[in-house]
Amino acid sequence: MKYSEEVRPGEKIRLDDYDTSRSCGLTKEEAREKADELGREMGELQELLFAAGDTALLIVLQGRDTSGKDGAIRFILNHTNVQSCRVAPFKVPTAEELSHDFLWRVHRQTPPKGGVTIFNRSHYEDVLVVRVAGLAPEKVWSKRYGQINAFEELLSASGTVVLKFFLNISKKEQEERLLDREKDPVKAWKLSVDDWKGRDQWDDFTRAYEDALTRCSTEAAPWRIIAADRKWFRDLAIAECIVETLRPMKKAWMESLESLGREQKAELEAFRASRGA
Amino acid sequence: MKYSEEVRPGEKIRLDDYDTSRSCGLTKEEAREKADELGREMGELQELLFAAGDTALLIVLQGRDTSGKDGAIRFILNHTNVQSCRVAPFKVPTAEELSHDFLWRVHRQTPPKGGVTIFNRSHYEDVLVVRVAGLAPEKVWSKRYGQINAFEELLSASGTVVLKFFLNISKKEQEERLLDREKDPVKAWKLSVDDWKGRDQWDDFTRAYEDALTRCSTEAAPWRIIAADRKWFRDLAIAECIVETLRPMKKAWMESLESLGREQKAELEAFRASRGA
């Protein structure tokens, strides 16, 4: 069962075609159980990825305000070894970052071999908010789709698995989450008039997301659309995709670790023999 | 007069066609005088580039051992403001660098707007020594030409002028310079058997350089071949190319600085008026 929906290269995306409250007939309890099971496997695979040290994993999370990026990160971190798993948030660029090309700050944060990095927002902001808010002229942002594809192909060709998730929520669900935040004394301070104003640009963001999903789904790094109105289904869909991507690499990782183990054992035995032990 | 030889996109390069001892009929004294004059203009242009702050300059220096990369850097630094001019040397990659794609360490070192960075060796080593010494399989390095072009086009589209110089010396001149170093007590320690052994691969490096020059000369970032047997001609050719590239931008930089100046003056006057001075 594929809980996430993969965008094929060349496929033209209309977000209206996607059900944000999809749950594939699962109840909350069933989904949580499956997600935990997959989460355990994800943790095992991530330890092998780290030990084998020849592959990196980059997880890109994009979505509108309140779409659940922080929640998804919490789920992944709960199931992985935090030592080799980093989170890189991309906020409003600093003056130093703005004085370089838009991929400069992003490239620095890509994962090393053996590592996992989760991007909380990403270089896609440079064709999303930058486009919608008019922070750069069309002449500039329109070139970025190709530049992003070339960059992600470089990462992929260099041993980095790039998984991109668009957390897709409905306008109605967003309203409910904003109202919930307003009522929650721990979260209310984070809200601003801008969060509500942002909703006026809902359709502009829809167009910008559709273009990013359509133009930046490559063989090397396709987008996955995650129905995100139900938090428990969102976590399940992401966990499944990560596990199904890494699982086929497990055999090669095991073999390389076993071969390393044999070498080390032989070295140790030779050392002991030389000391006459 | 063009002292450097620009590689046009699509042009197939054979290094045998290039005269390494070219001097365009100039004597050493004439060339030094011209180079100093251009060097002064280069310094002025660099100060404007810094003040205007909308353009970055990346200078890539490649060439075989003893081809004069350090000498060329000394010449540029002598004529520019060291505050906003950095040198980034690329040596044997560290373990951290190797655990990322080959452009990761390079991207971090690119100049910010207003800045100048000189690359002493560069990402081109990844299609030169890596190819000749077999440090990566052909499947990997052969993809890098396209990856380099996409990367340099990104820099260029983002306001970075990319100037790439190949310092072209003859095998005979290299031999003389190595022998000179051997005799020089201050430089002899830097020499190793490897420097002489490297000469066995002269022709392999020639092929690798020809491919890099041919395949990575784009409209955005063409290669310039610099006849480098004569150090004084090398400096002149580089200075000329830098100056002729920046000179057309001078007018716009001046206008933007003058307009800024007027704004600041108006602000200052308003401030003074408000204080009744």
Side-chain angles (χ1 to χ4, degrees):
Chain A
M1 185 71 210
K2 280 273 189 277
Y3 300 123
S4 62
E5 290 164 284
E6 183 174 339
V7 181
R8 300 303 311 152
E11 189 183 346
K12 176 121 185 56
I13 294 302
R14 284 186 62 247
L15 285 180
D16 272 354
D17 300 338
Y18 289 82
D19 177 7
T20 56
S21 62
R22 190 168 184 254
S23 64
C24 300
L26 295 171
T27 65
K28 182 174 175 178
E29 287 64 40
E30 287 165 344
R32 279 273 169 238
E33 197 177 314
K34 276 178 190 288
D36 278 335
E37 201 177 305
L38 285 166
R40 270 189 298 277
E41 186 174 354
M42 182 169 76
E44 287 164 20
L45 287 165
Q46 187 244 330
E47 285 206 30
L48 282 175
L49 174 139
F50 172 70
D54 57 6
T55 309
L57 174 61
L58 173 61
I59 298 171
V60 173
L61 293 177
Q62 282 288 159
R64 308 176 196 257
D65 289 345
T66 77
S67 62
K69 297 181 290 296
D70 289 331
I73 290 172
R74 220 172 303 123
F75 176 84
I76 298 170
L77 292 184
N78 279 344
H79 290 86
T80 46
N81 180 338
V82 187
Q83 296 267 17
S84 52
C85 189
R86 286 181 54 253
V87 179
F90 292 95
K91 308 195 189 240
V92 177
T94 65
E96 191 195 10
E97 289 168 350
L98 279 175
S99 73
H100 291 85
D101 66 82
F102 78 107
L103 292 173
W104 182 80
R105 67 173 184 159
V106 175
H107 206 162
R108 303 170 62 120
Q109 302 283 3
T110 52
K113 283 177 182 162
V116 178
T117 300
I118 308 171
F119 280 5
N120 187 352
R121 303 187 185 271
S122 66
H123 42 301
Y124 283 95
E125 291 298 328
D126 293 283
V127 292
L128 293 166
V129 67
V130 165
R131 164 177 165 170
V132 171
L135 303 178
E138 179 165 1
K139 210 184 72 184
V140 169
W141 60 252
S142 63
K143 277 192 195 145
R144 290 182 173 164
Y145 302 98
Q147 291 165 343
I148 287 173
N149 289 345
F151 171 62
E152 292 178 357
E153 268 155 32
L154 165 72
L155 296 180
S156 166
S158 313
T160 298
V161 175
V162 183
L163 290 179
K164 303 184 294 193
F165 298 110
F166 169 57
L167 308 189
N168 192 22
I169 56 166
S170 67
K171 197 168 181 182
K172 174 115 199 16
E173 176 68 21
Q174 189 189 56
E175 185 180 11
E176 280 167 26
R177 292 188 184 181
L178 285 173
L179 288 172
D180 278 351
R181 283 195 188 173
E182 225 171 79
K183 284 182 226 140
D184 183 339
V186 182
K187 290 177 182 168
W189 66 271
K190 272 176 77 182
L191 274 179
S192 78
V193 186
D194 285 344
D195 290 308
W196 289 100
K197 275 191 188 158
R199 286 170 60 78
D200 297 342
Q201 298 175 309
W202 181 274
D203 292 338
D204 293 336
F205 271 104
T206 301
R207 295 294 93 69
Y209 267 111
E210 286 173 344
D211 277 357
L213 294 165
T214 298
R215 300 179 63 180
C216 296
S217 279
T218 57
E219 289 294 343
W223 273 103
R224 266 87 174 188
I225 298 175
I226 304 289
D229 278 357
R230 301 170 201 254
K231 296 171 184 176
W232 41 270
F233 185 77
R234 170 201 74 204
D235 290 346
L236 170 63
I238 290 175
E240 181 200 44
C241 181
I242 295 173
V243 166
E244 294 202 343
T245 304
L246 299 185
R247 200 187 272 145
M249 302 177 193
K250 182 175 177 176
K251 192 159 166 263
W253 289 338
M254 292 292 291
E255 280 167 9
S256 108
L257 288 172
E258 279 159 15
S259 141
L260 264 176
R262 277 192 300 275
E263 276 172 41
Q264 251 173 342
K265 205 180 156 200
E267 248 178 84
L268 201 59
E269 276 166 10
F271 173 71
R272 285 198 187 111
S274 76
R275 293 190 55 184
Chain B
M1 184 70 211
K2 281 272 190 276
Y3 299 123
S4 63
E5 291 163 285
E6 184 173 336
V7 180
R8 302 303 311 153
E11 188 183 346
K12 176 120 185 55
I13 294 301
R14 286 187 60 247
L15 285 179
D16 271 354
D17 300 339
Y18 289 82
D19 178 7
T20 56
S21 62
R22 190 168 184 254
S23 65
C24 299
L26 295 171
T27 65
K28 181 175 176 177
E29 287 64 40
E30 287 166 345
R32 279 273 170 236
E33 198 177 312
K34 275 178 191 292
D36 279 335
E37 203 176 303
L38 285 165
R40 271 189 297 277
E41 187 173 354
M42 184 170 75
E44 287 164 21
L45 288 165
Q46 187 245 331
E47 286 206 28
L48 281 175
L49 175 140
F50 172 71
D54 56 7
T55 309
L57 173 61
L58 172 60
I59 298 171
V60 173
L61 293 177
Q62 282 287 159
R64 306 176 196 255
D65 289 346
T66 79
S67 62
K69 297 181 288 295
D70 290 331
I73 289 171
R74 221 171 302 124
F75 176 84
I76 298 170
L77 291 184
N78 279 344
H79 290 87
T80 47
N81 181 337
V82 187
Q83 297 266 17
S84 52
C85 188
R86 287 181 53 254
V87 178
F90 292 94
K91 307 194 192 246
V92 177
T94 65
E96 191 195 10
E97 289 168 349
L98 279 175
S99 73
H100 291 85
D101 67 83
F102 78 107
L103 292 173
W104 182 79
R105 67 172 184 161
V106 175
H107 207 161
R108 301 170 64 119
Q109 301 284 0
T110 53
K113 284 180 182 161
V116 178
T117 300
I118 308 172
F119 280 5
N120 186 353
R121 304 186 185 270
S122 68
H123 42 303
Y124 283 95
E125 292 298 327
D126 292 285
V127 291
L128 292 166
V129 67
V130 165
R131 164 176 165 171
V132 171
L135 303 178
E138 178 164 0
K139 212 183 71 185
V140 169
W141 60 251
S142 64
K143 277 192 194 146
R144 290 182 172 164
Y145 300 98
Q147 292 164 342
I148 287 173
N149 289 345
F151 172 62
E152 292 178 357
E153 268 154 34
L154 165 73
L155 297 180
S156 165
S158 313
T160 299
V161 175
V162 182
L163 290 179
K164 303 184 293 193
F165 298 111
F166 168 57
L167 309 189
N168 191 23
I169 55 165
S170 66
K171 198 169 182 182
K172 175 112 197 23
E173 176 69 19
Q174 189 189 57
E175 185 180 12
E176 281 167 26
R177 292 187 185 181
L178 285 174
L179 289 172
D180 278 353
R181 282 194 189 173
E182 226 173 79
K183 284 182 226 140
D184 183 338
V186 183
K187 291 177 180 168
W189 66 272
K190 274 176 75 182
L191 275 180
S192 77
V193 185
D194 285 345
D195 290 307
W196 288 101
K197 275 192 189 154
R199 286 170 61 78
D200 298 342
Q201 298 175 309
W202 182 272
D203 292 337
D204 293 337
F205 271 104
T206 300
R207 295 295 93 72
Y209 267 112
E210 286 172 345
D211 277 357
L213 294 165
T214 298
R215 300 179 64 181
C216 297
S217 280
T218 57
E219 289 294 342
W223 273 104
R224 266 86 175 191
I225 298 174
I226 305 289
D229 278 357
R230 301 170 201 255
K231 297 171 183 175
W232 41 269
F233 185 76
R234 170 200 75 205
D235 290 346
L236 170 62
I238 291 175
E240 182 200 43
C241 180
I242 295 174
V243 165
E244 294 201 342
T245 304
L246 300 185
R247 201 188 271 145
M249 303 176 190
K250 182 175 177 175
K251 191 157 167 265
W253 290 339
M254 292 293 292
E255 280 168 9
S256 110
L257 288 173
E258 278 159 16
S259 140
L260 264 177
R262 276 192 300 275
E263 276 172 41
Q264 250 173 342
K265 204 178 154 200
E267 246 179 83
L268 200 60
E269 275 165 11
F271 173 71
R272 283 198 188 110
S274 76
R275 294 189 56 183

